Amino acid sequence: MKERMRIMVGLFFTMLKIGLFTFGGGYAMIALLENELVQKKAWMDKDSFLDMVAISESTPGSIAVNAATYIGYRMAGVGGSVAATVGVCLPSFVIIYALSLFLDAFLAVPYVAYAFRGIQVCVIYLILSAGIKMLKGIRKTPFSIVILSAVFLCMLTLSLLAVSFSTVLYIVICGVLGISLYLLQTIRGKGERGS
Amino acid sequence: MIYWQLFLTFFEIGAVSFGGGYGMISLIRERTLAMGWLSEGELLNLIAISESTPGPIAVNMATFVGSGQAGFLGAVVATLGVVLPAFLVTLLIATLIRNLLKYAGVQAFLCGVRPCIVALIMGTAATMLLSSLLGIKTVESAFAPDIRGIAIFVLLAAGAMGYKRLRRRAISPLLLILVSGVLGLLLYGVGA
């Protein structure tokens, strides 16, 4: 029991450190996690680390939370997963909460506001380049190309027409289409999946 | 009740955000704009701040919006909401269904979801470009280009591509944000 407590405290502080030093979200964190957990602490071997990355990428939510929960559970059960998740989220919570208290006053300074108008343009560029990077990484099959272009065109058209259509629906419909295609191929007995 | 509303909204965002990071931008944008919690400009500021501070973008967003709407407790419930789905699903995989991701049905579902997420990110970027730089929000809005914004966009894109050519790796988002801040100060500040 004492030993488990010690592991939980260790997990909490390791994850706190990772949460504090990860800039730019998920993928930047994977390298840091690998270095800390596999190389330095040897808490996981390379294979289970890669398993964890695959799970994080395929489950909803931020990769940091997925990774912390998984590692925490493997090391010290449910208590460990809570300790690791709280640890990884705490730094950004504290920093952003503190910032939120005086950001409005900060942005009211005219020069800061000018700088932020430039930064807003930069963020659009960052989102666009993240999208392009993901576009390059995705497997191109007739099915994925149809989904990609259909969703993109629908979203743009509906937004220009000011018709609201929830993002959640797009995701659910595309997931169901994926399953339907799979079922169709299984019924036809082709054996190949158009993934 | 605002706490419940914050919790539910961010729980939903956490539950359908596949692909990490920018995967949740489209839904965050849709919900926060619809609720009147943020304007487009505030949302973009917030994304920049999330990129420049440590931690997962989702947590940063939830904490900030929660705090703005309902103080400290609001920040706590919104953050809890956005984290909980990922926590529960991962715990489920770790404890009960280790092979969840190996089921053909789950794989087939993800095959449909992955291209959809990419399209949503591209669609969000395109919508933001049209509304922020060209002034086109709907078909009825008049064409009102922001020349300085367009200039900054072109300069940033050219700079980022040049950097990649020379250094053989992508420029860090943080550096690009700093440069854009200076450009904003020069272009908007001097003209004002």
Side-chain angles (χ1 to χ4, degrees), chain A residues 40-110:
Chain A
K40 268 203 215 152
K41 297 229 157 66
W43 280 353
M44 290 179 109
D45 58 50
K46 187 95 194 180
D47 279 348
S48 31
F49 184 79
L50 289 177
D51 270 356
M52 186 219 63
V53 175
I55 291 174
S56 304
E57 280 173 345
S58 310
T59 47
S62 30
I63 292 179
V65 175
N66 298 135
T69 309
Y70 189 79
I71 294 161
Y73 181 79
R74 296 244 341 220
M75 306 259 321
V78 177
S81 62
V82 173
T85 306
V86 172
V88 89
C89 294
L90 203 58
S92 48
F93 181 84
V94 172
I95 293 170
I96 295 289
Y97 179 71
L99 269 176
S100 75
L101 298 179
F102 53 85
L103 187 73
D104 281 345
F106 180 62
L107 286 176
V109 180

Side-chain angles (χ1 to χ4, degrees), chain A residues 19-20 22-23 60-61 66 69 73 92 97 100 111 114 116-117 119-120 122 125 130 148 155 159-160 166-167 174 178 182 195, chain B residues 15 17 22 30-31 41 45 48 52 54-55 60 67 72 86-87 90 95 104 108 111-112 119 124 127 138-139 160 180 185 188 192:
Chain A
L20 189 58
T22 314
F23 287 82
N66 298 135
T69 309
Y73 181 79
S92 48
Y97 179 71
S100 75
Y111 289 107
Y114 296 139
F116 265 87
R117 286 187 69 178
I119 291 172
Q120 289 174 5
C122 180
Y125 175 79
L148 263 167
M155 192 182 166
S159 130
L160 285 176
S166 173
T167 305
C174 291
Y182 168 74
S195 50
Chain B
S17 58
Y22 286 125
E30 177 191 309
R31 288 299 144 89
N45 290 346
S52 327
N60 294 341
S67 161
F72 183 75
F87 179 80
T90 312
T95 50
C111 276
T124 305
T127 319
T138 65
V139 273
S180 69
L185 204 54
Y188 290 104

Side-chain angles (χ1 to χ4, degrees), chain A residues 96-189:
Chain A
I96 295 289
Y97 179 71
L99 269 176
S100 75
L101 298 179
F102 53 85
L103 187 73
D104 281 345
F106 180 62
L107 286 176
V109 180
Y111 289 107
V112 176
Y114 296 139
F116 265 87
R117 286 187 69 178
I119 291 172
Q120 289 174 5
V121 176
C122 180
V123 170
I124 300 177
Y125 175 79
L126 288 176
I127 296 173
L128 187 68
S129 53
I132 291 172
K133 206 171 152 195
M134 286 172 90
L135 194 63
K136 284 180 185 160
I138 212 160
R139 240 194 292 167
K140 310 281 187 305
T141 60
F143 177 67
S144 72
I145 292 170
V146 168
I147 294 254
L148 263 167
S149 21
V151 171
F152 180 78
L153 289 175
C154 275
M155 192 182 166
L156 209 58
T157 315
L158 291 181
S159 130
L160 285 176
L161 295 173
V163 177
S164 64
F165 187 77
S166 173
T167 305
V168 180
L169 278 176
Y170 284 113
I171 296 172
V172 172
I173 291 172
C174 291
V176 170
L177 283 176
I179 294 176
S180 321
L181 181 76
Y182 168 74
L183 289 177
L184 213 68
Q185 282 173 338
T186 322
I187 291 166
R188 278 193 186 166

